[in-house]
Amino acid sequence: MVEVEGRTADGKNSPFGRLAVISAFGGHRITYLLAGAVTAMVYCGLLGLGLMVAEDRIPYLFLVVVSHLTTVVIVYPGYRLVVFRGSGDPWLTGYLRFYLVGLSFLAASVIGVPFLVEFAGIPIMVAQGVVIVTSPPLSYAINRAWVFSDRGKV
């Protein structure tokens, strides 16, 4: 849940106290799902654009890697500020952990997409969609337990 604290000019809490902005969406897991949907849209948009512009001149696996790495840079602030608020780690440490988790899912794409494309004959974007749909439960568990955990409370 994201909370915004209001203060008056003299530094005291306002009568409104804390405003639960995200709680209207049902809490932490819902914000994670929304962020995941945004992440998937950003990634698929970048990959689709890359495939469209490159046509067959650039291998699709290269575009998968570039799209993934670009997406991780774009979406990390949203995960840190909105979804997993409260991590006491510095931004760079959190980003490096987020990136490492992202690399495991990049590996799933680099293995899964060619398998589905080459052996099952599925189009690249559909194959990537299949890989994306299978990732959220594991990603949530790893991000919550390791990447964005509040180490000060441990």
Side-chain angles (χ1 to χ4, degrees):
M1 177 166 67
V2 174
E3 296 176 349
V4 179
E5 187 174 297
R7 296 204 181 268
T8 59
D10 60 0
K12 295 181 182 178
N13 286 337
S14 72
F16 297 104
R18 296 182 181 266
L19 173 63
V21 176
I22 301 300
S23 65
F25 293 110
H28 195 257
R29 287 182 187 94
I30 298 301
T31 58
Y32 178 78
L33 290 174
L34 292 172
V38 169
T39 301
M41 288 187 305
V42 168
Y43 172 77
C44 288
L46 291 171
L47 180 59
L49 182 63
L51 290 168
M52 187 175 64
V53 169
E55 296 173 347
D56 289 331
R57 295 183 304 252
I58 299 175
Y60 70 87
L61 277 181
F62 178 79
L63 297 173
V64 164
V65 171
V66 169
S67 298
H68 180 272
L69 297 177
T70 305
T71 300
V72 170
V73 171
I74 293 169
V75 302
Y76 174 71
Y79 278 87
R80 172 139 181 142
L81 296 173
V82 177
V83 180
F84 294 105
R85 191 166 179 263
S87 172
D89 290 333
W91 273 70
L92 183 58
T93 303
Y95 174 77
L96 292 174
R97 285 192 180 116
F98 189 73
Y99 181 76
L100 285 174
V101 172
L103 285 178
S104 66
F105 294 102
L106 174 60
S109 288
V110 168
I111 293 167
V113 171
F115 178 79
L116 294 170
V117 169
E118 305 300 329
F119 296 115
I122 297 174
I124 296 167
M125 292 300 289
V126 174
Q128 184 61 74
V130 170
V131 173
I132 287 172
V133 169
T134 61
S135 300
L138 183 58
S139 174
Y140 177 80
I142 294 170
N143 278 311
R144 182 166 179 152
W146 184 58
V147 177
F148 296 104
S149 68
D150 188 0
R151 285 163 185 53
K153 293 182 181 178
V154 176

